[in-house]
Amino acid sequence: FRSGGGGWALPVAPSPEDFVGAWLTQPELLSVLTDPAVRSAYDCAPKRYRAHFLCLLARAALLEGEKSDGCVRQTWGGVWEAFPELQLWQHLRQLIAKKCQVHGKQQKRDRSRSPRK
């Protein structure tokens, strides 16, 4: 007998690495996001939670792309159809990244002290 409850909230995977591994190998986890009930819950959520959710989805897609040489699973197509706002979020993120670049700064510069010829 445990006091306080909350055992249902314990993660099923023993470690974050195991969860990421399951995320990348089990299509069922990603296909749940294409369910109309998830979209309905998204629509009913406060705006700040919707932004968090979109950020989470975008980061998950980026993680998967980095792990597999820029490719993501075909199931992501269903997620992008269910959440077309993801395209706007990714575009906004690209614009912000572009604005955060230092103007006039070159990528890499030779820092040697030897005289130039």
Side-chain angles (χ1 to χ4, degrees):
F1 173 67
R2 293 206 288 179
S3 63
W8 58 269
L10 294 174
V12 176
S15 71
E17 293 81 15
D18 290 340
F19 177 76
V20 171
W23 173 263
L24 294 172
T25 58
Q26 298 177 12
E28 300 84 23
L29 294 174
L30 184 58
S31 64
V32 166
L33 297 174
T34 64
D35 191 277
V38 175
R39 177 63 205 204
S40 179
Y42 170 84
D43 288 334
C44 293
K47 286 184 181 181
R48 65 182 179 271
Y49 298 132
R50 288 186 236 168
H52 282 283
F53 185 69
L54 288 178
C55 184
L56 168 92
L57 288 179
R59 291 176 129 199
L62 284 173
L63 170 73
E64 187 167 322
E66 288 174 6
K67 293 275 186 186
S68 59
D69 297 326
C71 298
V72 294
R73 291 174 282 175
Q74 190 173 4
T75 312
W76 276 105
V79 175
W80 287 317
E81 286 179 20
F83 298 96
E85 300 90 346
L86 271 173
Q87 293 176 356
L88 292 172
W89 179 257
Q90 290 172 331
H91 183 67
L92 175 64
R93 188 177 170 276
Q94 290 171 349
L95 289 174
I96 290 172
K98 187 176 179 180
K99 285 284 187 185
C100 290
Q101 290 176 349
V102 178
H103 296 287
K105 186 175 181 181
Q106 295 179 6
Q107 296 289 8
K108 286 192 176 184
R109 214 173 103 194
D110 183 19
R111 308 265 331 183
S112 69
R113 295 181 180 254
S114 60
R116 295 185 181 167
K117 296 179 181 180

